[in-house]
Amino acid sequence: MRVIDGKTALITIYQTGSYNLSAYGIGPGNGWVINGVFQEVDIKTGKVLFEWKSLDHVPLSATHAPLRLDGVVGDGLTNGSTWDYFHINSVDKNNDGDYLVSARHTSCIYKVSGQNGSIIWQLGGNQSSFQLRGYNFSYQHDARFREENETTTILSFFDNASNNHTNTSSTSSGKIIAIDHNTNTSTLLRQYNPPGDGLLSIFQGNTQIMPNKNVVIGWGFYPSISEHTEDGTAIFFATLESPDAQNYRAFKANWTAKSSDPPALRTYSASTNSPTTFWVSWNGATGVDRWRMHATSPESGEFMPLDVIHNQGFQTTYASSSYHPRAFAEAIAADGSSMANSTVVDTSSTLPR
C-alpha cells in the first residue's frame, strides 16, 4: 500500500480467476491465472477511484515466468496453483495522475495512463519502449517516480537481478535511472551495492531516497538493511539475526512520540542513613533530553530539585549520597521545556526485582 497526499491509498491485488490457457496445453475452461490488479481508494469512504488489471493490457506472452517454473509461478491447473504470470509488486502515482507499476514476472516497469489505463510506455521486459544503455535489470521491486518533465523521467527501483533461475547480474542493487524521451534511451545515474561481495536477493527489496539524498536499501530475501551517501558509499549495514527472517522492505524515518502514560520512577535506599538510587524511564517518549530529580529530605517534606542527568536511553539511573524519603522525576526536552513529571513515589528499602 502507498498513501497519496494523505487522502487516497494505492493497493496491489492478486486476483485469481479462470482463464483460457489452451495455447499453453491446458484444456479450455481448466486454466487459472493471477491478474495483477491495483486500485486507488479514497481512504475516508473506501470508494474505488481507479482500477487497473494486467490481463486487460499485458499479454501472457510478456511473462518471464513460464508455467511450472516453480511453486511461486504455479502450473495454472487449479485455483491453488494459479499461474502468476505478472506478479505486481509496487504502484506509484505522479503529479499528472499517471501510475508507475512494477511487475516482477515480466521484468518490466510500466507507466499507466490515469485517464484510461492504457500503457504509455514500458521499461525493460520483452518490448521495452527505451534502449537500456550500459545497464540492465530484472525481477525488480519498488519502482518509484522521482522527477519528471516533458523530456526526462527519473525513476528508482530495487534490481533483484535474479529469480533464482535466471540471473542478469551477480548482485542485486538499488538503482536510479534516467529516461530520455527525445532519444528513447535510458541510462544508469546511480547504483547502490551492499558492502563486501554483494547480495543476490531473489525476491523482495526496496530503494528509499532520503531528503538528504542518502539512500536506504532493504535487501529483501536477505534480511539486511544498508544506508548509503548519494555517491554510493555505505555508512550503515545490518542484518537481522534469524537465519529464517526475510525483510520485504526497509524504511528510515523520523520517529517522534510522547507516551500517554507518565514517566515511571523507582527509588531505593537501604536505610534512612544510606544513599538513594533513582531509576526513571518513560516508555515510548522520544523527546526526553535529560531528567531533573526532585526529592524531600528527612528534615523537610518540601520537594527540592536535585541534579539534572542526561537521558541514558530506556532507563536512566541516578545516585544521591543522601537519603530522600519521597521523590518525583521531571522529563526535560532539548530546548529546556518541561515535558512531564512522574508520580510521587516513596523510597523503598527493598531492591526492585
Side-chain angles (χ1 to χ4, degrees):
M1 186 178 77
R2 182 171 179 81
V3 175
I4 305 296
D5 297 329
K7 297 178 180 179
T8 65
L10 296 174
I11 58 173
T12 56
I13 299 163
Y14 290 76
Q15 185 181 66
T16 62
S18 58
Y19 200 81
N20 183 358
L21 293 179
S22 57
Y24 296 87
I26 297 176
N30 295 324
W32 290 84
V33 172
I34 295 180
N35 211 348
V37 181
F38 77 82
Q39 293 178 342
E40 184 169 8
V41 178
D42 181 87
I43 293 173
K44 179 179 272 190
T45 66
K47 181 181 178 181
V48 176
L49 306 177
F50 188 88
E51 182 178 76
W52 185 88
K53 297 184 177 183
S54 65
L55 284 171
D56 294 337
H57 304 279
V58 181
L60 298 178
S61 59
T63 192
H64 287 193
L67 276 168
R68 296 174 287 277
L69 178 68
D70 55 32
V72 173
V73 172
D75 58 18
L77 294 175
T78 69
N79 191 29
S81 60
T82 313
W83 185 15
D84 186 6
Y85 91 105
F86 192 73
H87 198 92
I88 187 172
N89 59 35
S90 71
V91 57
D92 198 12
K93 188 178 184 182
N94 65 10
N95 293 331
D96 295 330
D98 298 320
Y99 301 94
L100 192 70
V101 172
S102 171
R104 176 181 187 251
H105 287 175
T106 62
S107 290
C108 191
I109 297 169
Y110 305 86
K111 184 177 181 180
V112 171
S113 168
Q115 297 296 317
N116 56 26
S118 63
I119 295 175
I120 299 172
W121 51 250
Q122 54 193 59
L123 177 70
N126 294 344
Q127 293 183 316
S128 180
S129 305
F130 312 103
Q131 179 186 0
L132 279 61
R133 287 186 171 174
Y135 81 102
N136 58 37
F137 70 90
S138 61
Y139 311 106
Q140 76 293 330
H141 285 71
D142 193 41
R144 304 295 173 192
F145 285 116
R146 295 303 171 188
E147 300 175 38
E148 197 168 31
N149 55 41
E150 291 182 356
T151 62
T152 306
T153 300
I154 298 178
L155 307 177
S156 68
F157 56 87
F158 182 77
D159 176 17
N160 295 79
S162 177
N163 67 346
N164 205 30
H165 302 281
T166 303
N167 302 340
T168 53
S169 177
S170 60
T171 180
S172 303
S173 62
K175 282 185 166 71
I176 301 175
I177 65 99
I179 296 173
D180 186 329
H181 296 285
N182 288 328
T183 61
N184 289 329
T185 59
S186 67
T187 56
L188 180 67
L189 298 181
R190 300 282 185 186
Q191 183 168 341
Y192 299 92
N193 298 304
D197 297 330
L199 299 171
L200 191 61
S201 181
I202 59 175
F203 46 74
Q204 307 172 347
N206 71 300
T207 299
Q208 178 195 16
I209 302 178
M210 306 290 293
N212 66 355
K213 297 186 178 180
N214 280 11
V215 174
V216 173
I217 306 291
W219 295 95
F221 173 73
Y222 291 97
S224 300
I225 306 163
S226 62
E227 182 176 355
H228 308 255
T229 56
E230 186 181 12
D231 67 1
T233 303
I235 57 174
F236 175 86
F237 184 77
T239 301
L240 299 177
E241 183 177 12
S242 171
D244 298 322
Q246 296 173 9
N247 175 35
Y248 197 103
R249 288 178 182 159
F251 300 96
K252 183 179 182 181
N254 178 57
W255 180 271
T256 302
K258 182 178 178 180
S259 176
S260 59
D261 294 325
L265 176 68
R266 179 72 185 265
T267 58
Y268 163 78
S269 181
S271 70
T272 57
N273 297 315
S274 301
T276 306
T277 301
F278 299 69
W279 296 274
V280 61
S281 63
W282 197 9
N283 190 16
T286 60
V288 181
D289 182 70
R290 52 196 183 271
W291 296 94
R292 180 181 287 118
M293 301 300 179
H294 302 258
T296 62
S297 67
E299 296 77 27
S300 171
E302 182 179 353
F303 285 94
M304 298 294 292
L306 304 179
D307 288 342
V308 175
I309 308 98
H310 184 73
N311 185 45
Q312 298 166 4
F314 175 76
Q315 179 174 272
T316 297
T317 303
Y318 166 70
S320 170
S321 59
S322 303
Y323 173 69
H324 301 281
R326 307 183 77 206
F328 70 88
E330 179 187 7
I332 309 295
D335 63 2
S337 61
S338 178
M339 298 178 64
N341 293 340
S342 73
T343 57
V344 174
V345 300
D346 296 324
T347 297
S348 173
S349 59
T350 303
L351 276 171
R353 296 185 65 178

